[in-house]
Amino acid sequence: MTDPARPPSPDELDPIETASRDEIAALQLARLRATLERAHGNVAHYKRSFDDAGVSPADLTTLDDLARFPFTVKEDLRLNYPFELFAVPREQIIRIHASSGTTGIPTVVGYTRNDLETWAGLVARCLRAAGTRPGDMVHIAYGYGLFTGGLGFHGGAEALGCTVVPASGGFTERQVMMIRDFEPRVIAATPSYMLALADEFERVRMDPRRCSLQIGMHGAEPWTQAMRQEIEARFAMQAIDVYGCSEAIGPGVSVECIESKDGLHIWEDHFYPEIVDPETGAVLPDGETGELVITSLTKEACPIVRYRTRDLTRLLPGTARSMRRMQRVTGRNDDMLIIRGVNLFPSFIEEIVLEDRRLSPHYYLEVRRPGRLDELTVVVEAKPEAGDEATRASVARDLAGSIKSRTNITCSVTIAEPGSVERSVGKAKRVFDLRPKD
Ligand code: DLL
C-alpha cells in the first residue's frame, strides 16, 4: 500500500500548483475580468449592484481593484431564488445543488458541464494533495442529494481514477461492515460523523485502528486540532481538513497538503480569496483574521462575486504549493455566541472538552435566558469508563472550572450518559440557542 505521508511528486501535480506567484496573479487578473464581465452581462442582480455602486468590469485593472465591487451575501441568493443568479440559459445547467439554511428558502446553485468538470478536477486535486492515488478505494460518507458533499467528492474521486463507494450518510452499522469488507484506503466524511463511525466500530468490538483507512477527508463543519488528534488516534490515519461552500462550488475550494497539514491551500487559479473586517467590510492584509470572501474565477453557470462566507480565518503564504493557505476555520460569524458580553465559539469549548481524557467528543451547547442573564450549559458525554456518580461530578466540576478560567464564562456542565448525545450523520448541530428572540 502507498505510504499515506508520501507527497505527490511534481509530475503528478497540475502545472499551476507549482507556478510562480506572478504567473498565478496574471491568471487571476485575466479570469477575474472575465468573471466580472460574465456576471455583469448576464445576471440582472450583478448588473444592478455594480451599476448602483458605480463600477463596471472595465474598472478592474489590478487585483486590488476588486475591493471596489459590491459584496454578495447569502440573502442575495435567497432573493434571487431559484434561478435568477444563473448566467446561462437554464437548459445549459446540467446539475442543481442547494443548501437548506435556517430561514426555509434554500440557496440554489447550478453547474454547466464545464463547471462539473472543473469541480471534479479540483476535488481530485484535493484528494491527491491528501495522499490519495489513482486506484485507491474512496468511501464517501458525505450525504448525497442536494448537499454538495457526496456528489462533489464522487465526481472528484472518479476523475482521479479511484474506486468510489457512494455510501452517503447514515446506516452507520452497514457502513462499518462495508469498510471492513471492501477495505477502502480513503474516507470522506464530516469529522463528527467520523466519530460516530469510530463508536460503531467499537460497539461491534472491532478496533478502528486496524481497519484499512489511511486518509480521511474531513470538512463541511468547523473542527479543532484536538478533534483531529482524536480521529487520528482512534483510526490510526491522517485526518485532512478540506473546505468549501456551495456558493463557491462545493467541497474543493481549499485543502491541507499531506506534506504540511498546517492550513488549507486555496486553489487560487479558480477562487480569488479576500479577508475582510466583518464589521466594516474593509479588506485586511494577509495574516490578519477576518471573514473570508470568495470570488469565483472560472464558473460559468453561477459566477459569484465577493461572496461573504461568514467564515473566520486568515490568509497565510504557500508552503508545499505556491498558492496561499487559509488557516483552519474555527467558526462562522453566525455561530459566535455572545454570553453575557463574552464572545464564544463552540470550537473553543471543543478544545477544552477534548483535553479531558474522561470525556467523549460528543457535546453540544445550550443557551437560555430564564431571567435577564444568559445561561450556558455544556452537555457532554463521559466515556463509559468514567464510571460512577462521584467521578462524573468531579469531571463536571473540572470542566466548568477550565471553561471559567479560560473564557471567563460561568457555565453549568451536564454529563450525559454514553450514547445519549445524538450522533450526526452530516453536519453536527453544536448550539441550541433557546433564548427568546428579541
Ligand atoms: O459544506 C461543502 C463541503 C462538503 C465542504 C464536504 C467540505 C466537505 P455548504 O453546505 O454550502 O457546503 O456549507 C458551507 O460549511 O461556509 C463553512 O461554514 C462550513 N465548512 C465547510 N468546510 C469546512 C471546514 C459544504 N473544513 C459551510 N472547516 C462553510 C470549517 C467548514 N467549516
Side-chain angles (χ1 to χ4, degrees):
M1 247 184 209
T2 336
D3 171 5
R6 183 174 75 77
S9 60
D11 58 305
E12 286 172 293
L13 302 181
D14 293 339
I16 194 73
E17 291 182 70
T18 48
S20 70
R21 286 301 314 172
D22 286 348
E23 281 173 273
I24 294 170
L27 183 68
Q28 284 178 325
L29 186 59
R31 289 183 168 178
L32 203 45
R33 249 190 233 128
T35 294
L36 295 178
E37 271 157 20
R38 168 178 285 274
H40 187 258
N42 298 294
V43 183
H45 164 81
Y46 286 115
K47 174 156 180 30
R48 233 181 0 253
S49 72
F50 289 10
D51 293 353
D52 287 351
V55 284
S56 95
D59 294 331
L60 186 99
T61 53
T62 68
L63 290 172
D64 290 341
D65 290 334
L66 184 62
R68 299 170 57 190
F69 287 77
F71 291 120
T72 306
V73 294
K74 207 170 189 89
E75 189 57 16
D76 292 322
L77 278 94
R78 297 216 175 90
L79 290 173
N80 287 285
Y81 175 85
F83 302 147
E84 294 299 308
L85 289 182
F86 289 178
V88 297
R90 214 268 308 132
E91 294 70 26
Q92 289 176 31
I93 303 278
I94 63 165
R95 174 93 65 76
I96 299 278
H97 280 286
S99 67
S100 49
T102 42
T103 61
I105 300 179
T107 53
V108 177
V109 288
Y111 303 76
T112 63
R113 191 170 298 284
N114 285 339
D115 290 336
L116 283 189
E117 212 170 280
T118 304
W119 188 18
L122 289 175
V123 174
R125 251 195 219 171
C126 291
L127 283 159
R128 197 182 47 211
T132 312
R133 290 295 185 282
D136 283 343
M137 190 184 293
V138 181
H139 179 105
I140 299 173
Y142 285 113
Y144 279 61
L146 289 171
F147 174 51
T148 52
L151 283 162
F153 266 94
H154 190 106
E158 279 190 356
L160 187 61
C162 298
T163 310
V164 180
V165 183
S168 194
F171 301 102
T172 309
E173 231 178 293
R174 193 184 62 185
Q175 302 230 12
V176 168
M177 187 184 85
M178 284 194 295
I179 293 168
R180 180 195 66 197
D181 296 342
F182 298 179
E183 302 189 333
R185 181 165 173 258
V186 182
I187 187 163
T190 59
S192 56
Y193 190 56
M194 212 51 215
L195 293 174
L197 286 169
D199 286 353
E200 179 59 21
F201 266 96
E202 283 156 14
R203 195 188 65 81
V204 296
R205 309 218 173 287
M206 280 165 55
D207 181 359
R209 291 185 63 83
R210 302 182 68 150
C211 80
S212 56
L213 294 172
Q214 295 185 342
I215 299 168
M217 305 292 296
H218 306 307
E221 62 185 5
W223 56 310
T224 56
Q225 182 63 17
M227 182 75 96
R228 184 202 316 262
Q229 283 158 2
E230 172 88 14
I231 293 173
E232 292 190 335
R234 289 179 79 180
F235 278 98
M237 70 174 192
Q238 302 277 347
I240 301 290
D241 199 352
V242 56
Y243 170 89
C245 58
S246 44
E247 295 80 3
I249 204 160
V253 171
S254 63
V255 72
E256 289 178 318
C257 290
I258 192 74
E259 295 96 315
S260 44
K261 272 172 66 178
D262 62 349
L264 298 83
H265 287 274
I266 302 173
W267 299 133
E268 282 193 85
D269 49 338
H270 293 272
F271 307 100
Y272 186 77
E274 295 169 283
I275 299 291
V276 303
D277 181 317
E279 302 292 324
T280 66
V283 177
L284 299 175
D286 284 10
E288 281 189 30
T289 300
E291 180 180 340
L292 177 67
V293 170
I294 296 180
T295 300
S296 68
L297 297 178
T298 50
K299 278 203 309 175
E300 294 181 343
C302 284
I304 191 118
V305 178
R306 304 199 82 205
Y307 178 66
R308 294 190 66 151
T309 62
R310 320 286 296 165
D311 295 320
L312 298 174
T313 181
R314 62 196 180 115
L315 293 177
L316 302 163
T319 50
R321 304 286 184 281
S322 28
M323 300 194 200
R324 282 176 292 176
R325 290 166 301 147
M326 55 187 258
Q327 193 177 40
R328 145 197 303 280
V329 172
T330 42
R332 293 172 59 76
N333 253 351
D334 326 355
D335 290 342
M336 190 181 77
L337 289 167
I338 303 178
I339 311 280
R340 281 174 254 144
V342 181
N343 297 350
L344 180 75
F345 284 105
S347 57
F348 204 74
I349 300 287
E350 180 174 302
E351 295 270 1
I352 301 174
V353 164
L354 284 172
E355 280 169 15
D356 190 329
R357 305 310 300 169
R358 298 167 298 180
L359 291 172
S360 83
H362 304 294
Y363 73 96
Y364 61 89
L365 315 183
E366 274 179 0
V367 196
R368 291 193 174 76
R369 192 185 294 145
R372 285 180 35 221
L373 290 180
D374 296 331
E375 283 185 11
L376 172 69
T377 306
V378 178
V379 183
V380 54
E381 279 180 22
K383 293 218 175 110
E385 58 274 20
D388 57 58
E389 279 302 307
T391 319
R392 287 170 175 221
S394 89
V395 172
R397 260 194 318 275
D398 290 352
L399 181 59
S402 308
I403 293 172
K404 171 77 186 167
S405 69
R406 306 259 287 274
T407 66
N408 207 20
I409 291 172
T410 306
C411 68
S412 42
V413 170
T414 303
I415 303 294
E417 285 301 316
S420 65
V421 172
E422 196 182 336
R423 301 296 188 258
S424 86
V425 291
K427 295 176 190 257
K429 186 161 167 54
R430 299 294 190 196
V431 177
F432 293 85
D433 193 340
L434 308 171
R435 289 177 286 195
K437 302 273 172 283
D438 323 295

